[in-house]
Amino acid sequence: RSRIVSYRMDRHEGQRNSAVRRAARAVCTRRVLNSLAMFAALWAVGLVTTSFGPALPFLAAQANTTLDRVGTMFTGRSVGYLIGTVISGPAYDHVNREGILLGGSLCVAGAASCVIPFVHSLYVLVALSLMEGVSFGAL
């Protein structure tokens, strides 16, 4: 009778071990997917950040201003990045689902990036750059 009991216990241990292995594999897969998503997000941030250098003369002509004045977009984005970094730290501490903050900041940054080429006012360009910077800082 002790062999039967020991066989049943071994079988249950094997089932528990396989469940633990499946859970560990799921956590590992989730971490890899999160890492790939962060890589893609930061790659997109770099792409958007560098794209405004070559587009600066076009934006200056569209806003009917000089290159010097339209360069304040970079200042606005940098100030926004600083604000976003300062605000997002405590926000991540209070919100347990980082996907919400990351996804939201990516959506805001994407919307601002899509609207910037169609704006004809310097002040709106700077405000959108500030908003974009805040979103980038939250990443």
Side-chain angles (χ1 to χ4, degrees):
R1 192 166 195 172
S2 64
R3 286 184 180 174
I4 293 173
V5 171
S6 120
Y7 170 74
R8 286 183 182 166
M9 289 177 67
D10 289 343
R11 193 177 74 190
H12 290 299
E13 284 295 317
Q15 289 173 350
R16 274 190 233 138
N17 287 339
S18 66
V20 168
R21 277 190 238 120
R22 281 194 305 268
R25 209 174 298 134
V27 168
C28 183
T29 302
R30 183 176 177 161
R31 286 183 182 168
V32 168
L33 289 176
N34 283 344
S35 296
L36 289 174
M38 283 300 298
F39 171 76
L42 292 174
W43 181 80
V45 166
L47 184 68
V48 168
T49 301
T50 58
S51 68
F52 285 117
L56 206 59
F58 168 75
L59 293 172
Q62 187 167 337
N64 200 18
T65 186
T66 64
L67 280 174
D68 294 340
R69 290 192 63 197
V70 85
T72 56
M73 285 177 45
F74 295 112
T75 304
R77 185 183 299 148
S78 297
V79 169
Y81 195 90
L82 178 68
I83 292 169
T85 303
V86 169
I87 290 174
S88 67
Y92 281 118
D93 291 338
H94 291 289
V95 177
N96 290 335
R97 299 181 190 148
E98 64 267 352
I100 293 172
L101 291 174
L102 289 175
S105 65
L106 280 174
C107 287
V108 169
S113 297
C114 289
V115 172
I116 284 176
F118 303 106
V119 172
H120 295 285
S121 169
L122 177 65
Y123 299 112
V124 177
L125 280 174
V126 173
L128 286 171
S129 294
L130 181 83
M131 185 171 61
E132 192 178 54
V134 170
S135 299
F136 288 163
L139 290 176

